[in-house]
Amino acid sequence: MSNVQAVHAGWVIPVEPDGVVLERHTLVIDGTHIAAIVPTASWRNDLGATEIDCRRHVLVPGFVNAHTHAAMSLFRGMADDLPLMEWLERHIWPAEARVAGREFVRDGTRLAAAEMLTGGTTCFNDMYFFGDEAAAAAIEAGIRAVIGLIVIGFPSAWASDVDEYFRKAEAVHDQYRGHPLVTSAFAPHAPYTVDDAALTRVATLAEELDVPVHMHVHETVGEIEGALATHGARPLRRLEGLGLLSPRLLAVHMTAVDEDEYELLARTGVSVVHCPESNLKLASGFCPVARLLGAGVSVALGTDGAASNNRLDMLGELRSASLLAKGVSGDPCALPAAQALRMATLSGARALGLDHAIGSLEVGKLADLVAVDLSALGTQPIYDPLSQLVYASQRSQISDVWVGGRHLVRQGELTTLDSDELRASATAWRSRIAEA
Amino acid sequence: MSNVQAVHAGWVIPVEPDGVVLERHTLVIDGTHIAAIVPTASWRNDLGATEIDCRRHVLVPGFVNAHTHAAMSLFRGMADDLPLMEWLERHIWPAEARVAGREFVRDGTRLAAAEMLTGGTTCFNDMYFFGDEAAAAAIEAGIRAVIGLIVIGFPSAWASDVDEYFRKAEAVHDQYRGHPLVTSAFAPHAPYTVDDAALTRVATLAEELDVPVHMHVHETVGEIEGALATHGARPLRRLEGLGLLSPRLLAVHMTAVDEDEYELLARTGVSVVHCPESNLKLASGFCPVARLLGAGVSVALGTDGAASNNRLDMLGELRSASLLAKGVSGDPCALPAAQALRMATLSGARALGLDHAIGSLEVGKLADLVAVDLSALGTQPIYDPLSQLVYASQRSQISDVWVGGRHLVRQGELTTLDSDELRASATAWRSRIAEA
């Protein structure tokens, strides 16, 4: 039996080269990789390929969710419309203290993986405790994951002190080294929860293990004011002093950027991860995306966790990013459709050091891809499939998703996870969490 | 045969009283009206009612889209990511000049009605030319419509001068007087396109015919600067002088509000119609929703037209409104879920003078209602159905929609319009418009 799939698409948007839309093309998957992208009219089934009809669909690279806390999907909608500290101190942290163990992370990540996969996310960058459980859930689902090797200056069910966080970080890294779906990244929580000694150690180990560093940075103005009081420096400057500003760093949120910092971010090659919906919902401020891009900073996109969004929906997120960038910059030309799609795919892959393998539809890359059905009335008529994809389509129009050539969502249905089981599990966790 | 329907719902959120969530209740529709809302456990089928199982669903009032240009759905995605004047002058207006006649309005409104109905909108407030065609399309679809009696100081295919706009306005008003689905509203386009004489006439006729006045007001700062130069007054103050500030007025957009104007809007009873996604996409500015509500101004919600959004999706719009209000005000408690839902339903009905009949689920009101299936993985687990509705659900989860008791969307399928025909019509229009 042939291990070749031929996806006949109405349109293919490869992301690289930039701005290209190929009409009526066939994307050929050979095993795990993209073997060809050719006009459908010129394609012949010489290899006994399985043919998949996506004539009403646009094919795009799988989305890279560059910042989430997957397991927190079990907290979705538990506490909304609250001030940040009340939300954290009275709801999220106490709930975590009660339930956030191995089983919670496994089940929560599984639910998140199901939501992300059906929404076209093929790779997620996670930050949470029990990274080994998150990795196991991702492998079970078949989704690509970058597991956060968390470091934080507080004890948790995962580790009791900084040394233990580092020991467990290295153990999780080693456990999944060479895995086809799982890589890892150091995940020091934030400048205000990790001290200089630990951050220096993160910088050194990230170099040695050759992994990214994933960190909340400048989420709010309050964080910066606190840092000025405590450290006499803005967090980004402190990280510079500790040797953390490099292409390895994913600086998540960055809602406050001063004049000098645009140049600093661009020069050091830091990737900013923009989480527009979470920033809005928590009233964290506005990331100046258009200015960052204009300054040459690479910007990726993330949903943040379901406790503060409350969706892990990258298609919705990239639309929100594009609309918000226009509103914040006052320029209706800011973050146009093609650039928003790139942010949600190739720029995320690049931030994670995975752009040699994923993030665009190119021959030789892994077959991580998504088919979006544009025949829905809400995306009619079709002047420009890119515009309909970014500004009008919704994740329910995503019919098929592949990760490394595996067909994980087929006509809207998950092939690796059981939705009824996930629903029952979520309901059981709700009872346990709400009644605790 | 009985004309009674009993909808057994997991939850009913009636909007009035405010903040109430009823669990496991049955909503009984007798003909066109809501006859009862009772605990499902206490309900007995004494009247031979048709029973509808919505146990996994939340029932809410149908959404009231308080500002749209329905026919423009045929321009969806025709021209994005452009400066406002280039968008209007080089794309929208020339396209309108070529094609915006009777047939265009009929077909475009039909497409919009289909999109709106499947998305839970049961009433829309329209502003476009050929209002009689828009009304006919709405009646064909079975959706409730408030038809804009347009007045603008420029000739169009609909009318050659202001006198003709008024003659046709009165004719359309008279044509649909007493219709169970269609009412009308004067729709002077904007302060900068309608002169004082015409606006005075609108004010007088709106009183005489007892209809609302639907107008773009303070869409951008540029509009205000222009008005100061031309009229020596901000548009809102000019409208005050012309006698237009009253509970009849729907002031659409209001992205710029000065200190005095909060009190002025509240005192005169004007409804502001907020269109967050259109304001973002066109970079028009931010409507200060939280401050308006705090000042006692009634705020309704609209999608604007599909040329500037590009969705007519009120469930998405109310989420965007809630998130954006938090971001703009810097307060994560701003526009909480219940208030956002009210904005999208009862406040819209009130703005249109229809709150005696629609906008909430109350016994005696018309049965305009929507069932949203919360069993999707993206809305699990369910701590609070209101939160899942506003912050997590998507319009694809809307399974059933009724307008005046008619079951217009049944398990996601339109019962009055043919989707294949609408798709074919949209494609034909695309060819005609793009190739003209």
Side-chain angles (χ1 to χ4, degrees):
Chain A
M1 199 181 81
S2 161
N3 196 18
V4 179
Q5 300 169 75
V7 187
H8 303 305
W11 302 270
V12 176
I13 303 180
V15 172
E16 187 62 48
D18 195 35
V20 166
V21 178
L22 305 168
E23 210 172 330
R24 295 192 191 181
H25 271 58
T26 294
L27 185 146
V28 182
I29 303 170
D30 188 354
T32 55
H33 286 72
I34 298 171
I37 303 174
V38 296
T40 301
S42 73
W43 183 79
R44 287 176 49 200
N45 196 350
D46 297 326
L47 299 167
T50 304
E51 297 188 54
I52 295 146
D53 178 5
C54 288
R55 272 175 299 179
R56 312 203 301 185
H57 301 64
V58 57
L59 276 191
V60 294
F63 302 127
V64 178
N65 186 349
H67 178 64
T68 191
H69 311 286
M72 295 181 83
S73 60
L74 291 171
F75 292 149
R76 188 201 324 271
M78 187 179 70
D80 298 305
D81 301 319
L82 295 170
L84 181 63
M85 291 323 290
E86 183 181 340
W87 176 71
L88 281 174
E89 292 174 1
R90 298 192 46 189
H91 297 273
I92 298 299
W93 290 343
E96 285 187 334
R98 287 199 307 274
V99 301
R102 292 204 160 272
E103 200 192 346
F104 174 86
V105 172
R106 182 68 167 263
D107 289 348
T109 306
R110 199 190 270 128
L111 176 63
E115 184 190 357
M116 288 194 280
L117 277 175
T118 51
T121 295
T122 55
C123 176
F124 68 102
N125 183 35
D126 200 44
M127 181 192 283
Y128 210 64
F129 309 100
F130 298 95
D132 51 344
E133 293 292 344
I139 291 165
E140 181 188 349
I143 193 171
R144 203 173 299 288
V146 181
I147 297 301
L149 308 172
I150 201 159
V151 176
I152 186 167
F154 302 104
S156 65
W158 172 240
S160 57
D161 59 24
V162 166
D163 282 339
E164 192 177 2
Y165 280 108
F166 277 101
R167 275 202 307 282
K168 291 204 161 169
E170 294 192 63
V172 171
H173 173 80
D174 290 348
Q175 185 178 351
Y176 293 99
R177 189 156 45 190
H179 195 282
L181 284 177
V182 173
T183 56
S184 57
F186 264 101
H189 171 263
Y192 57 93
T193 54
V194 187
D195 66 20
D196 284 3
L199 286 175
T200 305
R201 209 162 146 191
V202 164
T204 305
L205 284 170
E207 287 288 330
E208 288 176 12
L209 302 178
D210 193 19
V211 297
V213 178
H214 173 197
M215 189 175 198
H216 300 105
V217 184
H218 291 203
E219 182 165 6
T220 62
V221 168
E223 173 190 335
I224 295 170
E225 289 165 354
L228 286 168
T230 309
H231 298 283
R234 290 167 65 89
L236 200 69
R237 291 291 177 186
R238 178 170 154 242
L239 298 181
E240 184 190 15
L242 297 169
L244 274 159
L245 300 197
S246 81
R248 291 193 189 285
L249 183 64
L250 291 89
V252 180
H253 297 312
M254 289 303 295
T255 65
V257 186
D258 77 10
E259 288 304 316
D260 295 344
E261 288 168 347
Y262 290 98
E263 188 274 331
L264 178 62
L265 290 165
R267 178 167 45 81
T268 54
V270 170
S271 285
V272 167
V273 182
H274 178 39
C275 301
E277 296 186 0
S278 169
N279 292 164
L280 287 171
K281 185 150 184 284
L282 300 177
S284 304
F286 300 108
C287 175
V289 173
R291 279 202 64 186
L292 286 165
L293 292 167
V297 179
S298 188
V299 182
L301 191 72
T303 59
D304 211 339
S308 67
N309 184 320
N310 301 353
R311 293 178 189 162
L312 310 179
D313 171 8
M314 285 289 289
L315 189 53
E317 202 78 31
L318 77 91
R319 179 177 187 261
S320 292
S322 181
L323 297 184
L324 190 63
K326 299 176 203 319
V328 167
S329 66
D331 176 5
C333 310
L335 201 49
Q339 202 172 20
L341 179 62
R342 171 172 286 253
M343 184 183 283
T345 54
L346 191 56
S347 299
R350 184 184 161 194
L352 296 168
L354 297 173
D355 51 322
H356 60 286
I358 62 168
S360 55
L361 301 180
E362 296 179 81
V363 172
K365 279 200 171 181
L366 286 162
D368 288 15
L369 53 125
V370 176
V372 186
D373 184 351
L374 296 185
S375 69
L377 294 179
T379 40
Q380 294 292 314
I382 305 173
Y383 294 92
D384 175 357
L386 181 59
S387 170
Q388 298 306 56
L389 176 79
V390 171
Y391 294 121
S393 72
Q394 301 201 322
R395 69 173 169 188
S396 56
Q397 294 172 246
I398 292 173
S399 65
D400 294 81
V401 180
W402 291 259
V403 175
R406 267 184 92 190
H407 203 160
L408 299 181
V409 179
R410 194 192 302 268
Q411 293 180 16
E413 298 297 323
L414 287 161
T415 62
T416 46
L417 296 170
D418 178 332
S419 295
D420 288 333
E421 193 185 303
L422 291 168
R423 214 173 276 119
S425 158
T427 302
W429 276 106
R430 180 193 58 77
S431 301
R432 195 165 148 188
I433 293 163
E435 286 155 22
Chain B
M1 199 182 82
S2 161
N3 196 18
V4 178
Q5 301 170 74
V7 187
H8 303 304
W11 303 270
V12 176
I13 304 180
V15 171
E16 188 64 47
D18 196 36
V20 166
V21 178
L22 305 168
E23 210 173 330
R24 294 194 193 181
H25 271 58
T26 294
L27 185 146
V28 182
I29 303 170
D30 188 354
T32 55
H33 286 72
I34 299 170
I37 303 174
V38 296
T40 301
S42 72
W43 183 79
R44 287 176 47 200
N45 196 350
D46 297 327
L47 298 166
T50 304
E51 297 188 55
I52 295 145
D53 178 6
C54 287
R55 273 175 300 180
R56 312 203 302 185
H57 300 64
V58 56
L59 276 191
V60 293
F63 302 126
V64 177
N65 185 350
H67 177 66
T68 192
H69 312 284
M72 294 180 85
S73 60
L74 291 171
F75 292 149
R76 186 200 327 270
M78 187 178 68
D80 298 303
D81 302 319
L82 294 170
L84 181 63
M85 291 324 290
E86 184 182 339
W87 177 68
L88 282 173
E89 292 175 359
R90 297 192 44 189
H91 297 273
I92 298 299
W93 290 342
E96 286 187 331
R98 286 199 307 273
V99 300
R102 292 205 159 271
E103 200 193 346
F104 174 87
V105 173
R106 182 69 166 262
D107 289 347
T109 307
R110 199 190 271 126
L111 176 63
E115 185 190 356
M116 288 194 280
L117 276 175
T118 50
T121 294
T122 55
C123 177
F124 69 102
N125 183 34
D126 199 44
M127 181 192 283
Y128 210 64
F129 308 100
F130 297 95
D132 50 345
E133 292 293 343
I139 292 166
E140 181 188 348
I143 194 171
R144 205 173 298 289
V146 180
I147 297 300
L149 309 172
I150 200 160
V151 177
I152 186 167
F154 301 104
S156 67
W158 171 240
S160 57
D161 60 24
V162 166
D163 282 339
E164 191 177 3
Y165 279 109
F166 277 101
R167 276 201 307 280
K168 291 204 160 169
E170 293 193 65
V172 170
H173 173 79
D174 290 348
Q175 185 178 352
Y176 292 99
R177 190 155 47 189
H179 194 282
L181 285 177
V182 174
T183 56
S184 57
F186 265 101
H189 170 262
Y192 57 91
T193 54
V194 187
D195 66 20
D196 284 4
L199 286 174
T200 305
R201 210 163 146 190
V202 165
T204 305
L205 284 169
E207 287 288 331
E208 288 176 11
L209 302 178
D210 193 19
V211 296
V213 177
H214 173 197
M215 191 174 195
H216 300 104
V217 184
H218 291 200
E219 182 164 3
T220 62
V221 168
E223 173 191 335
I224 295 171
E225 289 167 354
L228 286 167
T230 311
H231 298 284
R234 289 166 66 89
L236 200 69
R237 290 293 177 184
R238 178 170 154 242
L239 297 180
E240 184 190 16
L242 296 169
L244 274 159
L245 299 197
S246 82
R248 291 193 189 286
L249 183 65
L250 291 89
V252 180
H253 297 311
M254 290 303 295
T255 64
V257 185
D258 77 10
E259 289 304 317
D260 296 345
E261 288 168 347
Y262 290 97
E263 188 274 331
L264 178 62
L265 289 164
R267 177 167 46 81
T268 54
V270 170
S271 285
V272 167
V273 181
H274 179 37
C275 301
E277 295 187 1
S278 170
N279 293 164
L280 287 171
K281 186 152 184 284
L282 299 177
S284 304
F286 299 109
C287 176
V289 173
R291 281 202 62 187
L292 286 165
L293 291 167
V297 179
S298 187
V299 182
L301 191 72
T303 59
D304 211 339
S308 67
N309 183 322
N310 302 353
R311 294 179 188 161
L312 310 179
D313 171 7
M314 284 291 288
L315 189 53
E317 201 78 31
L318 77 90
R319 178 177 188 264
S320 293
S322 181
L323 295 184
L324 190 62
K326 299 177 203 321
V328 167
S329 66
D331 176 6
C333 311
L335 200 51
Q339 201 172 20
L341 179 61
R342 170 172 288 252
M343 185 182 282
T345 55
L346 191 56
S347 300
R350 183 182 160 195
L352 296 168
L354 297 173
D355 52 320
H356 60 287
I358 62 169
S360 56
L361 300 181
E362 296 179 82
V363 172
K365 279 200 172 181
L366 286 163
D368 288 13
L369 54 123
V370 175
V372 187
D373 184 351
L374 296 185
S375 70
L377 293 179
T379 42
Q380 293 293 313
I382 305 174
Y383 294 92
D384 174 357
L386 181 60
S387 170
Q388 299 305 55
L389 176 79
V390 170
Y391 294 120
S393 72
Q394 302 201 322
R395 67 173 170 189
S396 56
Q397 292 172 247
I398 292 174
S399 64
D400 294 81
V401 180
W402 291 260
V403 175
R406 270 184 89 190
H407 203 159
L408 298 182
V409 178
R410 194 192 301 268
Q411 293 179 15
E413 298 297 323
L414 287 162
T415 62
T416 47
L417 296 171
D418 178 333
S419 295
D420 288 332
E421 193 185 304
L422 290 169
R423 213 172 276 119
S425 158
T427 302
W429 275 105
R430 181 193 58 78
S431 301
R432 196 165 146 187
I433 293 163
E435 288 156 20

